[in-house]
């Protein structure tokens, strides 16, 4: 899979859940995800993501999409696709999906490390979603 990106700007990773949405940012150049804020999924998350896109020079949004052990989409996958459809209407940058399998499990493991004590599990999961995206995507610059 290839994505066309400019030479600068940022990629926003999202771990979308029913209660919270974890965010992470990575420079297009450095490709090193950093945990961002955790949004309340019931408090205008699309408006807040739109503000982040405009404020942070976001060039692409990557949304984690869960799959079951057989690699098939789940009921949660459909909820995330619906959320993403609404987000597409609100922002002008491209949105892509990345496999989020085990991102929460990895985040749980890492969150026990004292150096990540003040970072939310959801934002750590968003970092892993961006890592998955970078590992499985060839990024072509314009």
């Amino acid at each position: 899979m290839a994505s066309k990106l400019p030479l600068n700007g940022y990629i926003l990773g999202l771990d979308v859940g029913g209660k919270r949405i974890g965010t992470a940012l990575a420079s297009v150049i450095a490709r090193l995800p950093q945990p961002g804020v955790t949004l309340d999924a019931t408090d205008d998350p699309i408006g807040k993501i739109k503000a982040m896109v405009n404020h942070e020079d976001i060039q692409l949004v990557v949304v984690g999409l869960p799959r079951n052990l057989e690699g098939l989409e789940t009921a949660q996958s459909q909820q995330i696709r619906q959320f993403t459809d609404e987000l597409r209407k609100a922002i002008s940058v491209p949105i892509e999906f990345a496999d989020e399998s085990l991102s929460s499990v990895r985040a749980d493991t890492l969150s026990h490390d004292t150096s990540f004590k003040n970072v939310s599990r959801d934002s750590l999961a968003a970092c892993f979603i961006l890592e998955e995206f970078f590992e499985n995507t060839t990024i072509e610059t314009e």
Side-chain angles (χ1 to χ4, degrees), residues 60-71:
L60 174 69
V61 175
V62 176
V63 178
L65 191 65
R67 298 185 184 276
N68 64 20
L69 295 176
E70 291 81 35

Side-chain angles (χ1 to χ4, degrees), residues 5 15 38 58 66 104 107 119 123:
L5 294 176
D15 178 42
T38 300
I58 305 296
S104 295
V119 179
S123 293

Side-chain angles (χ1 to χ4, degrees), residues 1-6 60 62 96 133 137-142:
M1 173 179 14
S3 297
K4 290 231 182 243
L5 294 176
L60 174 69
V62 176
E96 294 193 24
F133 176 77
T137 305
T138 303
I139 298 180
E140 301 173 359
T141 56
E142 294 179 334

Side-chain angles (χ1 to χ4, degrees), residues 15-21 40-42 76 79-80:
D15 178 42
V16 178
K19 296 180 183 179
R20 293 174 304 280
I21 299 172
D40 181 336
T42 63
Q76 185 183 9
Q79 293 171 347
I80 291 171

Side-chain angles (χ1 to χ4, degrees), residues 41-115:
T42 63
D43 186 21
D44 188 27
I46 290 178
K48 290 178 178 163
I49 293 167
K50 181 178 179 179
M52 290 173 72
V53 166
N54 294 332
H55 184 263
E56 300 291 339
D57 190 27
I58 305 296
Q59 299 299 312
L60 174 69
V61 175
V62 176
V63 178
L65 191 65
R67 298 185 184 276
N68 64 20
L69 295 176
E70 291 81 35
L72 302 173
E73 291 192 14
T74 65
Q76 185 183 9
S77 303
Q78 293 309 310
Q79 293 171 347
I80 291 171
R81 284 189 179 278
Q82 289 172 349
F83 174 85
T84 303
D85 288 344
E86 292 300 313
L87 184 58
R88 281 187 211 285
K89 295 173 188 174
I91 64 174
S92 60
V93 300
I95 300 174
E96 294 193 24
F97 292 104
D99 184 5
E100 76 162 27
S101 300
L102 304 178
S103 64
S104 295
V105 173
R106 290 174 66 195
D108 282 341
T109 302
L110 195 58
S111 67
H112 296 300
D113 184 326
T114 56
S115 60

